[in-house]
Amino acid sequence: MGRIAEEYGTLVFNDHTMQELLPSATYKALAKTIKQGKPLDIEVANVVAHAMKEWAVAHGATHYTHWFQPLSGITSEKHDAFVNPQKDGRAIMTFSGKALIQGEPDASSFPSGGVRATFEARGYTAWDPTSYAFIKDEVLCIPTAFCSYTGEALDKKTPLLRSMEAVSQQACKVLGFFGQDVPRVTTTVGAEQEYFLIKESDYEQRQDLILTGRTLFGAPPCKGQEMEEHYFGAIRPTVNEFMKELDEELWKLGVSAKTKHNEVAPCQHELAPMFTISNVAIDHNLLTMELMRKIASRHGLVCLQHEKPFVGINGSGKHNNWSIATDSENLLDPGKTPASNLRFLVFLAAVVQAVDDYQDLLRITVASAGNDHRLGANEAPPAVISMFLGDELDRVVSAIISGEKGETVEAVYMDLGVKVLPSFERDNTDRNRTSPFAFTGNKFEFRMPGSQINLADANTILNTIVAKSLKCFCEAVEGAEDFEKAAYKWVRTTLTDHQRIIFNGDGYTDEWIAEAEARGLMNLKSTVDAAPHMLDPKNVALFEEFGVLNEVENRSRYEVKLDTYSKLINIEGQTMSHMTKRKIAPAVSAYAEHIAATINAKKQANPALEPKADLKLLDKLNEGANGISDALEVLDAALEKAQGTDETLAKARAYHDEVLAAMERLRAVCDAMEGIVSTEAWPLPTYNKILFYC
């Protein structure tokens, strides 16, 4: 344990390191930039850069990179050496303040949604000093924002930072009405990361997993997750070794990996960190995902982060635990008496209003080709956005709406009927796994994001829509003679107007979907249903009001989302066609030939024999081969049609409506053949093999 404490954060240029290595004046100036958003002077940057370089070189670093998040959703990095050759043939190691705060990557080779043409290559990265630099693979990584030559944000981080500033400004105004003078309010995130681990040897034989991240073929295994023994079960030794190394590497990078366990599905696991400021939490989550993939290979494993790598088996999500806080207080903590905690009720009502007014934007943030397979599949929340508050808060909200006096519920202590077991206080709310947006004590858990998604989008929207609601509150109570009366009136009106979004029941039922429609809630079932709402006037106006995205930046993200969707489905369709032609169809034909030869051999040996079983099997194989051929023709035609469609939304719809449907038909007949072709003759590792290994 002592070794872990000593190594924690050793590869991070964190506050402790800065206090040790920076002159006092420089440290104080940088601290103002980090904590108060003050501009950074170039002379301060020069001193910081020199100290950062000396520290990095002492830890074995030879290069530095501006580590950023383009619209592809992953991270990017270009490595530059510290080495600077001298005239006398020697070399020195240098790193300037300018190199620290600004970089110039090629902006034409990243997704831009039309903002940048191929010949318009110049772009800039800018240091985010609120997220500590770190060393990875002997490279000093500097978290940065990424923009075009003309200033448009081309990344995920820039809008997130803008949204954090927006919600901070509005929250500080709200707290001012309560007599609190705070310089800054932050949003915090805890990202629970789910993932699968499978054997590398199986992965290498599955071209679909290699090219798309999910299995495009696969009959249900004989045993799935129905025994419910995997969740929180004993971790198998190989996986445990992987988890131990992952923890150690994350701790060195200052990522507070806290909880690890088996998830519901076979081979599925979860890692959960402690909460931290939103942009840092997202940087940490992207680092976690990268290290998972890298470390898995050292243990003969492959880490799958696709939302739905196996049909019929639970998919993987990334639950986004979101809260809002000052340096010393969680503003979503209801306290012992939530019914009389007016400040809490204001922030609660603001979130309720935000989620109801902008349910389409929240849905868009989690829309992707992969997550479309997961949402609403009785393992993840439905595509309909709703909020779960729990019994106690639901009673408080109902009392406020009806005008009754809310009563505080006395603490309930659990007595398990065994003297040796301790009595403990029960939480004030249960957990609702079916709710997309659930209050869990002092935070909201947004359960819809998929496992491979970049959470910057979801948190950008959460911050911005809550900023809008808080601004509405400020405008409503500004100049009121009786602030508390005006504030309570706003809370009551807001909760009354937006109570349709609150649902504490089972979100998996068909009855809820029908009720949600009756309530007027949106059911955006797929990416192509959701994405067009990005361009709705109210949403464009929201982003511009708070300076989070201008109209060009917003449209570029719309174009990128649909273009990415189309490209992913195209890759899946092409891969499926290729595997069918090169592997599955030949295997079915070869096995049919083997059965036919067996029939002939039996009849030759004894003409009186009637090989009924073999003849039935041959008929099924012949029927399957014909079905594969027919379905393959339909898929290839659908791909050709979609590829020839030009307009962005029309192309995405063609992939969704026709290509995906054709893929489902082809998969059905191929999976049926997997069930009758012998194991030795089937060309792919099956679910039975992939999901169950020692």
Side-chain angles (χ1 to χ4, degrees):
M1 186 62 195
R3 179 180 61 83
I4 294 173
E6 290 174 4
E7 291 186 353
Y8 189 90
T10 52
L11 297 181
V12 185
F13 197 71
N14 53 27
D15 190 70
H16 174 76
T17 301
M18 288 190 285
Q19 288 190 60
E20 282 191 339
L21 300 181
L22 295 177
S24 177
T26 303
Y27 171 77
K28 289 178 181 178
L30 182 59
K32 287 183 179 180
T33 296
I34 295 172
K35 296 179 180 179
Q36 301 175 23
K38 301 292 184 183
L40 187 69
D41 184 85
I42 186 62
E43 294 304 320
V44 173
N46 282 328
V47 177
V48 174
H50 177 74
M52 193 180 287
K53 181 263 296 181
E54 292 292 300
W55 168 81
V57 170
H59 282 80
T62 57
H63 291 67
Y64 69 92
T65 183
H66 278 196
W67 189 73
F68 60 100
Q69 304 168 30
L71 296 181
S72 60
I74 57 176
T75 59
S76 294
E77 51 195 66
K78 178 188 72 172
H79 301 172
D80 288 301
F82 291 122
V83 65
N84 187 359
Q86 302 298 293
K87 291 181 179 180
D88 62 2
R90 295 181 303 161
I92 60 174
M93 306 289 267
T94 61
F95 185 49
S96 68
K98 182 179 179 181
L100 169 62
I101 64 177
Q102 179 186 320
E104 188 183 326
D106 184 340
S108 65
S109 299
F110 295 100
S112 71
V115 172
R116 295 267 82 188
T118 302
F119 67 90
E120 296 173 318
R122 193 181 297 277
Y124 299 106
T125 49
W127 178 33
D128 172 15
T130 63
S131 186
Y132 297 135
F134 57 91
I135 297 171
K136 176 173 67 75
D137 299 328
E138 299 181 339
V139 176
L140 173 65
C141 298
I142 303 157
T144 56
F146 177 42
C147 69
S148 72
Y149 178 69
T150 47
E152 292 90 0
L154 293 177
D155 67 339
K156 305 280 188 178
K157 179 183 279 275
T158 303
L160 174 66
L161 293 173
R162 293 170 179 170
S163 73
M164 292 170 65
E165 184 62 28
V167 74
S168 177
Q169 289 179 359
Q170 299 305 320
C172 286
K173 290 180 183 178
V174 172
L175 294 177
F177 286 108
F178 285 92
Q180 293 180 258
D181 182 14
V182 296
R184 189 185 185 198
V185 168
T186 59
T187 52
T188 60
V189 168
E192 303 173 26
Q193 180 71 48
E194 295 176 347
Y195 60 98
F196 281 83
L197 290 173
I198 66 171
K199 276 192 171 183
E200 199 167 38
S201 56
D202 291 332
Y203 175 82
E204 290 170 348
Q205 297 179 64
R206 296 282 318 212
Q207 194 172 32
D208 47 2
L209 282 175
I210 293 171
L211 296 180
T212 74
R214 74 180 182 106
T215 53
L216 301 175
F217 305 96
C222 299
K223 174 187 176 184
Q225 58 196 52
E226 64 271 20
M227 296 304 294
E228 300 178 333
E229 83 276 29
H230 192 257
Y231 190 56
F232 281 20
I235 299 170
R236 63 184 83 181
T238 303
V239 173
N240 193 48
E241 289 303 309
F242 158 83
M243 288 180 168
K244 284 166 60 178
E245 184 177 355
L246 177 62
D247 279 342
E248 290 172 2
E249 293 301 314
L250 288 174
W251 290 335
K252 291 176 187 177
L253 290 167
V255 179
S256 55
K258 182 72 173 177
T259 303
K260 57 185 179 183
H261 60 82
N262 288 346
E263 256 298 333
V264 171
C267 295
Q268 188 185 32
H269 314 279
E270 180 180 301
L271 182 147
M274 295 179 67
F275 285 68
T276 189
I277 185 171
S278 296
N279 62 312
V280 176
I282 290 161
D283 285 353
H284 284 180
N285 179 250
L286 292 169
L287 260 179
T288 298
M289 294 172 70
E290 179 184 335
L291 284 176
M292 282 178 170
R293 296 190 296 269
K294 184 183 300 182
I295 292 172
S297 65
R298 300 174 190 166
H299 298 268
L301 302 171
V302 171
C303 179
L304 303 180
Q305 295 168 347
H306 192 283
E307 287 84 356
K308 193 75 173 178
F310 304 101
V311 168
I313 298 294
N314 267 24
S316 294
K318 176 151 48 191
H319 303 160
N320 188 89
N321 295 279
W322 180 91
S323 193
I324 182 168
T326 67
D327 284 344
S328 58
E329 293 181 284
N330 182 345
L331 299 175
L332 289 180
D333 187 348
K336 296 293 184 182
T337 56
S340 59
N341 187 341
L342 182 57
R343 190 188 69 181
F344 164 73
L345 293 175
V346 167
F347 279 92
L348 175 67
V351 177
V352 170
Q353 179 189 44
V355 174
D356 187 28
D357 282 346
Y358 296 99
Q359 52 190 278
D360 52 350
L361 283 180
L362 280 176
R363 174 65 182 91
I364 289 166
T365 67
V366 301
S368 69
N371 212 26
D372 283 357
H373 295 293
R374 170 180 165 266
L375 293 177
N378 283 352
E379 64 191 67
V384 178
I385 303 281
S386 65
M387 298 180 69
F388 169 83
L389 298 183
D391 293 340
E392 182 176 3
L393 282 187
D394 194 50
R395 284 192 291 267
V396 170
V397 168
S398 297
I400 291 172
I401 291 172
S402 63
E404 301 172 0
K405 182 179 179 182
E407 296 183 1
T408 300
V409 178
E410 294 295 327
V412 176
Y413 286 86
M414 304 293 288
D415 183 355
L416 300 181
V418 180
K419 291 182 179 179
V420 72
L421 296 178
S423 175
F424 55 91
E425 186 176 346
R426 189 176 73 181
D427 290 317
N428 60 10
T429 177
D430 200 351
R431 298 185 68 187
N432 188 335
R433 292 175 60 88
T434 73
S435 176
F437 203 87
F439 187 75
T440 56
N442 59 5
K443 64 185 187 303
F444 280 98
E445 183 180 24
F446 188 29
R447 297 178 58 87
M448 294 181 78
S451 55
Q452 64 180 346
I453 206 166
N454 184 324
L455 286 175
D457 290 341
N459 288 285
T460 295
I461 297 303
L462 271 172
N463 295 340
T464 307
I465 63 180
V466 171
K468 175 66 173 178
S469 296
L470 294 176
K471 184 178 180 181
C472 291
F473 170 79
C474 292
E475 291 172 347
V477 301
E478 186 76 47
E481 293 183 6
D482 187 331
F483 165 69
E484 289 194 5
K485 185 176 181 180
Y488 188 83
K489 178 182 178 182
W490 182 86
V491 168
R492 183 182 181 188
T493 301
T494 300
L495 293 176
T496 301
D497 291 346
H498 298 282
Q499 60 184 307
R500 67 174 184 172
I501 200 71
I502 300 171
F503 176 66
N504 291 327
D506 185 352
Y508 286 169
T509 65
D510 293 337
E511 289 79 9
W512 161 238
I513 301 301
E515 181 184 336
E517 184 178 353
R519 292 187 183 193
L521 301 180
M522 305 176 81
N523 187 5
L524 304 172
K525 296 181 180 180
S526 71
T527 299
V528 294
D529 296 325
H533 290 281
M534 295 176 71
L535 305 182
D536 287 355
K538 75 175 181 69
N539 295 333
V540 174
L542 170 76
F543 293 132
E544 292 189 331
E545 179 180 357
F546 292 97
V548 172
L549 292 170
N550 61 37
E551 189 170 359
V552 171
E553 292 168 331
N554 186 48
R555 175 167 280 279
S556 75
R557 281 151 178 78
Y558 161 79
E559 295 285 344
V560 168
K561 182 172 283 287
L562 287 179
D563 184 55
T564 301
Y565 178 88
S566 295
K567 287 176 178 175
L568 286 172
I569 303 300
N570 183 63
I571 291 170
E572 290 185 351
Q574 297 278 21
T575 302
M576 195 171 204
S577 177
H578 179 86
M579 291 178 68
T580 303
K581 294 171 183 174
R582 300 297 182 89
K583 287 182 175 291
I584 294 176
V588 172
S589 294
Y591 192 61
E593 289 178 12
H594 169 70
I595 298 300
T598 300
I599 292 170
N600 290 332
K602 286 183 177 181
K603 287 187 173 182
Q604 187 174 2
N606 185 352
L609 289 177
E610 294 185 19
K612 292 181 180 180
D614 293 323
L615 287 168
K616 286 182 179 179
L617 178 57
L618 185 60
D619 284 344
K620 290 181 180 179
L621 289 167
N622 185 63
E623 182 182 350
N626 291 335
I628 289 173
S629 178
D630 293 342
L632 190 56
E633 286 183 10
V634 174
L635 174 58
D636 286 344
L639 282 167
E640 185 176 357
K641 179 181 177 182
Q643 290 160 359
T645 305
D646 293 327
E647 196 273 326
T648 305
L649 181 57
K651 180 185 283 285
R653 287 199 183 281
Y655 277 107
H656 176 270
D657 296 344
E658 298 184 43
V659 174
L660 278 179
M663 290 172 63
E664 287 298 313
R665 287 194 292 271
L666 178 56
R667 176 171 188 150
V669 66
C670 288
D671 288 356
M673 290 297 97
E674 181 189 317
I676 62 175
V677 173
S678 73
T679 301
E680 293 76 13
W682 193 250
L684 306 172
T686 65
Y687 282 13
N688 283 322
K689 185 174 188 298
I690 295 173
L691 292 171
F692 298 94
Y693 63 88
C694 296

